[in-house]
Amino acid sequence: MTQVFTEDGSAVPVTVVELLPLTVTQVKTEQNDGYTAIQFGCISAKAKHLTKAQQQHLQKNNVPLLRKLKEVRIPANEAESFKVGDVIQPAGDGSFLNEGILVHVTGKSIGKGFQGNTKRWHHGRGPMSHGSKSHRLPGSIGAGTTPGRVFKGLQMAGKMGNEQVTVRNLQVVRIIPEKNVVLIKGAVPGVEGGLLTIQPKPERWNQPKY
């Protein structure tokens, strides 16, 4: 993260996100696959880092070996404009990224390991006075005879983080096309160097037009 300054001198905290070129590796159609979508990949890879299935899938379509593959569903009329091997520049012409728009950013959150109730679920603690033996303990997990068991979904200690998270309504502050970089206001999920998915905020049917 860093900061940039607006015209009125305000400092805005931003995250610098690199936009990787996307290579179309497959176009799925309603007739062949039952739905319409495009599959694309990024980050070049060596053959030893891919499974045999991944290698043959990419070689069959005559595209370079790529490490990360992702699929996005699109309307059938838009799928006709994509062909296998096309390279999509996220910051190029026709991109939805414009300064000032709101976007949703999806990534894998930072793993925190095994954590207790207080940190994982923000439970309150017990009294800290002398004689108390319950400072950060979980406490009761249910009644005794009735129901005589622990309900599913009870908030308890366990592994925290390392799961898909979407941070919504982040503002695009600045775009630098020559460096394939976008500056997004605030923090985004995941570790430094992690992969993110940026999508425009969808418009609701009852969204105000101002």
Side-chain angles (χ1 to χ4, degrees), residues 50-62 65:
L50 302 177
T51 64
K52 291 293 181 63
Q54 291 172 330
Q55 293 179 35
Q56 295 195 7
H57 169 66
L58 296 172
Q59 291 171 357
K60 180 182 66 175
N61 294 328
N62 295 322
L65 297 181

Side-chain angles (χ1 to χ4, degrees), residues 29-87:
T29 60
E30 185 74 30
Q31 295 78 12
N32 297 334
D33 306 283
Y35 63 98
T36 306
I38 62 168
Q39 181 192 85
F40 52 82
C42 61
I43 305 179
S44 300
K46 296 179 180 179
K48 66 179 181 179
H49 293 151
L50 302 177
T51 64
K52 291 293 181 63
Q54 291 172 330
Q55 293 179 35
Q56 295 195 7
H57 169 66
L58 296 172
Q59 291 171 357
K60 180 182 66 175
N61 294 328
N62 295 322
V63 294
L65 297 181
L66 301 169
R67 182 175 301 171
K68 298 295 182 180
L69 299 179
K70 187 173 179 61
E71 187 176 293
V72 176
R73 295 200 179 196
I74 58 175
N77 58 344
E78 296 182 9
E80 300 175 354
S81 59
F82 294 97
K83 295 181 180 179
V84 175
D86 290 349
V87 178

Side-chain angles (χ1 to χ4, degrees), residues 16-201:
V16 182
V17 180
E18 181 184 4
L19 302 174
L20 299 176
L22 307 176
T23 303
V24 179
T25 56
Q26 186 180 6
V27 178
K28 297 194 173 183
T29 60
E30 185 74 30
Q31 295 78 12
N32 297 334
D33 306 283
Y35 63 98
T36 306
I38 62 168
Q39 181 192 85
F40 52 82
C42 61
I43 305 179
S44 300
K46 296 179 180 179
K48 66 179 181 179
H49 293 151
L50 302 177
T51 64
K52 291 293 181 63
Q54 291 172 330
Q55 293 179 35
Q56 295 195 7
H57 169 66
L58 296 172
Q59 291 171 357
K60 180 182 66 175
N61 294 328
N62 295 322
V63 294
L65 297 181
L66 301 169
R67 182 175 301 171
K68 298 295 182 180
L69 299 179
K70 187 173 179 61
E71 187 176 293
V72 176
R73 295 200 179 196
I74 58 175
N77 58 344
E78 296 182 9
E80 300 175 354
S81 59
F82 294 97
K83 295 181 180 179
V84 175
D86 290 349
V87 178
I88 305 172
Q89 296 293 342
D93 296 335
S95 173
F96 69 88
L97 290 174
N98 294 305
E99 294 184 2
I101 70 168
L102 299 180
V103 294
H104 296 345
V105 181
T106 302
K108 182 166 287 190
S109 61
I110 297 176
K112 307 290 185 180
F114 192 97
Q115 299 297 334
N117 300 48
T118 305
K119 180 171 181 177
R120 190 183 187 198
W121 302 110
H122 309 290
H123 288 183
R125 60 169 174 79
M128 301 299 289
S129 58
H130 180 69
S132 172
K133 298 180 180 179
S134 174
H135 299 312
R136 294 169 68 94
L137 295 177
S140 173
I141 59 174
T145 305
T146 303
R149 62 188 178 90
V150 178
F151 286 129
K152 290 183 178 181
L154 183 67
Q155 295 179 345
M156 304 181 75
K159 289 186 178 180
M160 179 180 177
N162 193 32
E163 58 185 5
Q164 180 172 295
V165 175
T166 299
V167 180
R168 304 178 184 275
N169 302 328
L170 297 179
Q171 185 180 17
V172 175
V173 176
R174 192 172 300 169
I175 302 173
I176 310 176
E178 59 273 14
K179 295 185 179 180
N180 285 332
V181 164
V182 59
L183 306 183
I184 299 178
K185 184 178 180 179
V188 298
V191 298
E192 184 176 346
L195 288 178
L196 302 172
T197 301
I198 303 175
Q199 56 182 329
K201 177 184 178 181

